[in-house]
């Protein structure tokens, strides 16, 4: 019967809500005038703590605020394709080249590398310890049907793992091959709990080593190189991106100063660097 | 018995003694006509009893006259003014309703009895008026008691005090004594009858009980299947075979 | 067991040492989830009252929808909000993605059905004839709703607790639309996920203790209010 009043009460409620939301926007994000740079990156750069060191330096230097969103490389590249990020820091060269070729990303620069390592339980049931070829090691794991935990999340590490399987000529299937769909840290935990083999980037493995019942069994194969590139999302294709901020971040990452920080990162804690600076290569 | 003239003309003429009147009222629920009343009026000083079998539409009629429901068709007038969605709150504030259950709100006896006055924004001593009515319903000393600790009879007395304190121009009672046990009921009926006489309040009483009709009513309407089948004094109705047939009494 | 004690000890230490980042995360969590709860009350209580008191045509369908939405997975809400807030999305121009506001919006969507459902349930516990009696006492529409709210205030406090509990503990939506950006949108739950990924189980445990303490403190305060005996004055 008092329909109109209910409608106006409802409207008033929504207005109040909108008001409250805008209030919090002002109060929490405070300096909304500061320009944001959205960085879509792989979990490994966040989980190792490297970006927590680099981002404050960048913010102080340029005045931009960086929003580092940690996702798998696959999702990070997809965010670039959709123009949802301004700059990407990822490690899946083949997929990256494709995104650049499609015109979604530009100004792609090599930043650093570390390498992948094949880890497994100390007992090494498949007998791959010291194996020189990663593909050969994978073949042995498949033949002995030893448990292997895969990221299964379309990340850079996952893509690399699939490459090695292809090289080994094995189709990874069966109960011994388990995709956990998680980040690197979680995947290592699972592999450790199950006594399984796993492919990991060295940095994440080193930073988590203290909690893991896993050791490095195979390393040093050229095919296990893990190369990180930074690139900005192409403003010609995605006019809404923060092109200046993206460009600034690319330049920052390959600057001499940052390259030095990268080379020294983790030495104190783990006795060896987690990443090797590569700019200009 | 039936009023010959067109009720609308009468209302328009402004019969000063008519407090509440309805014309051409029809209430429909799920496609069924549950109340059809061509005309009805309650005059000042009357106590109109509405009786009839279960499902006859007694409570529906009361809700329409008390301006709690708007009928699908027809009009209701309060002292000659048509009740509309615009003025309904104002008109409700000149009447009171007591239902079968006490329907008290969480709080004390006093808070409940005061509530209607507070809703009306009465500044002038609502407390004293409430205390007086609590006394008249025999609850002195229980003002500060939480209502959920009261017995059924006491709770219904609070509900009645809450209605009377408003000094209503018409009081609607929907089987207010029927859920009480027989002792509490007799006691309350006695007090209630005295108060009705003392105040001379105009009332509409829906009931199943012919004793209440005899004690309280000045006029009786017999309702059946949504229609007023008979009207008269308590005496004439109790001698009417129709009533006996309808209510299964006699 | 050892890990639990270490985590607890670490949690106490983190709190006592006044680590600014921990406090920042805890305050942001309270602010975001508190505000989301408030907004969901503004929306959910009237909706719940309306659905409980009024009879109208699509009422049953709506009640069903509310009950379903009460169990909506936060990840799903996060995904939908993200689709709207992305630069390419319909609300992209607002630039809300990866802001605390985005988390508030998602959490409002999570908490509002919960508040609506609890409100509905608490009103339906009242005597169904009570609303009529309140009208018959001469209540204006505003007075009417106020008295109905007053009558079911204990149930409404339960609604507040349930709504707050739902949003302070959710991680899927905060992660999806907040992005767990350090110093900006990192709330307790997303910080816990990050620390687990980093293998810092003791820090993760410490954060989880803080989260539980916060949730408990707020719920406890509301429970005290709810259970407090009304004092009657004459």
């Amino acid at each position: 019967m008092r329909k109109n009043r209910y409608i106006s009460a409802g409207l008033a409620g929504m207005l109040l809500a909108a008001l409250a939301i805008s209030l919090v926007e002002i109060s929490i994000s405070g300096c909304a005038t500061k320009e944001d740079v959205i960085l879509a990156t792989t979990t490994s750069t966040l989980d190792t703590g490297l970006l927590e060191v680099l981002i404050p330096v960048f913010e102080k230097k340029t005045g931009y605020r960086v929003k580092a969103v940690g996702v798998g490389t696959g999702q990070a590249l997809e965010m670039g394709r959709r123009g949802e990020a301004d700059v990407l820091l990822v490690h899946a060269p083949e997929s990256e080249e494709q995104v650049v070729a499609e015109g979604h990303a530009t100004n792609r620069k090599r930043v650093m590398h570390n390498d992948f390592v094949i880890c497994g339980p100390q007992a090494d049931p498949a007998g791959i310890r010291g194996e020189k070829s990663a593909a050969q090691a994978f073949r042995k794991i498949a033949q002995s049907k030893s448990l292997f935990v895969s990221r299964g999340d379309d990340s850079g590490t996952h893509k690399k793992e699939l490459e090695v399987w292809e090289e080994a000529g094995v189709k990874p299937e069966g109960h011994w091959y388990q995709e956990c769909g998680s980040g690197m840290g979680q995947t290592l935990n699972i592999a450790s709990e199950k006594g399984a083999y796993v492919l990991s980037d060295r940095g994440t493995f080193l930073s988590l080593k203290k909690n893991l019942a896993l050791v490095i069994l195979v390393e040093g194969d050229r095919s296990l190189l893990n190369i990180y590139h930074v690139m900005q999302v192409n403003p010609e294709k995605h006019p809404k991106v923060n092109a200046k901020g993206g460009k600034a971040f690319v330049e920052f990452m390959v600057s001499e100063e940052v390259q030095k920080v990268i080379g020294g990162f983790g030495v104190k804690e783990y006795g060896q660097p987690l990443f090797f600076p590569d700019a200009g290569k | 018995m039936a009023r010959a003239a067109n009720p609308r003309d009468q209302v328009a003429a402004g019969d000063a003694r008519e407090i509440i009147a309805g014309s051409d009222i029809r209430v429909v629920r799920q496609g069924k006509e549950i109340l059809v009343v061509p005309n009805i009026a309650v005059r000042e000083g009357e106590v109109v009893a509405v009786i009839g079998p279960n499902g006859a539409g007694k409570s529906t009629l009361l809700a329409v006259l008390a301006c709690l429901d708007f009928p699908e068709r027809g009009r209701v007038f309060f002292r000659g003014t048509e009740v509309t969605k615009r003025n309904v709150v104002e008109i409700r504030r000149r009447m009171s309703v007591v239902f079968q259950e006490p329907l008290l709100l969480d709080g004390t006896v006093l808070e409940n009895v005061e509530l209607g006055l507070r809703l009306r924004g009465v500044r002038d001593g609502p407390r004293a008026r409430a205390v007086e009515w609590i006394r008249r319903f025999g609850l002195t000393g229980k003002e500060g008691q939480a209502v959920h600790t009261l017995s059924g009879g006491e709770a219904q007395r609070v509900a009645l005090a809450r209605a009377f304190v408003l000094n209503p121009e018409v009081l609607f009672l929907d089987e207010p004594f029927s859920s009480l046990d027989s002792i509490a009921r007799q006691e309350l009926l006695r007090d209630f009858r005295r108060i009705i006489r003392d105040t001379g309040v105009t009332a509409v009483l829906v009931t199943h009980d012919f004793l209440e009709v005899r004690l309280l009513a000045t006029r009786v309407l017999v309702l059946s299947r949504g229609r007023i089948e008979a009207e008269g004094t308590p005496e004439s109705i109790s001698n009417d075979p129709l009533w006996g047939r309808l209510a299964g009494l006699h | 067991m050892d890990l639990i004690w270490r985590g607890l000890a670490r949690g106490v230490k983190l709190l006592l040492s006044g680590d600014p980042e921990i406090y920042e995360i805890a305050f942001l969590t309270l602010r975001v989830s508190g505000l989301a709860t408030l907004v969901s009350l503004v929306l959910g209580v009237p909706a719940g009252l309306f659905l409980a008191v009024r009879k109208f045509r699509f009422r049953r369908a709506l009640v069903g929808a509310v009950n379903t939405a009460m169990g909506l997975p936060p990840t799903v809400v996060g995904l939908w909000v993200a689709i709207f807030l992305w630069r390419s999305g319909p609300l992209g121009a607002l630039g809300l993605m990866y802001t605390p506001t985005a988390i508030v919006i998602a959490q409002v969507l999570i908490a509002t059905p919960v508040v609506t459902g609890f409100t509905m349930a608490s009103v339906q516990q009242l005597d169904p004839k009570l609303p009529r009696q309140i009208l018959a006492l001469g209540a204006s529409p505003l007075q009417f709703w106020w008295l109905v709210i007053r009558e079911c205030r204990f149930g409404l406090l339960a609604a507040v607790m349930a709504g707050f509990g739902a949003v302070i503990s959710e991680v899927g939506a905060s992660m999806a639309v907040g992005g767990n950006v350090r110093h900006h949108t990192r709330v307790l739950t997303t910080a816990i996920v990050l620390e687990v990924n980093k293998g810092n189980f003791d820090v993760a445990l410490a954060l989880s203790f803080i989260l539980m303490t916060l949730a408990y403190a707020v719920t406890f305060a509301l429970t005290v209010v709810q259970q407090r005996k009304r004092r009657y004055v004459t």
Side-chain angles (χ1 to χ4, degrees), chain B residues 63 68-69 89 92-93 97 99 101-108 111 115-116 119-120 127 144 146 148 162, chain C residues 127 129-130 132-141 143-144 147-148 150-151 153-154 230-234:
Chain B
L68 294 173
D69 279 340
V89 172
R92 280 191 199 128
R93 287 183 172 180
V97 187
F99 292 99
E101 301 87 8
L103 297 172
L104 303 177
L105 280 82
D106 194 16
T108 64
E111 282 168 351
L115 181 62
L119 292 178
R120 285 157 178 73
R127 184 146 299 180
H148 61 83
R162 179 175 64 177
Chain C
D127 191 311
K129 290 180 191 141
L130 193 67
R132 282 188 140 222
Q133 173 71 76
I134 292 173
L135 284 181
L137 280 167
S140 67
Q143 291 172 329
F144 171 79
L147 286 173
V148 170
R150 219 187 66 120
E151 274 309 288
R153 59 192 180 281
F154 298 139
R230 257 180 72 83
R231 257 189 242 125
Y232 296 112
V233 278
T234 50

Side-chain angles (χ1 to χ4, degrees), chain A residues 152-166:
Chain A
D153 64 349
D154 199 28
S155 59
T157 310
H158 185 220
K159 284 173 197 246
K160 170 62 76 178
E161 180 210 314
L162 294 179
E163 272 173 43
V164 177
W165 285 118
E166 206 178 311

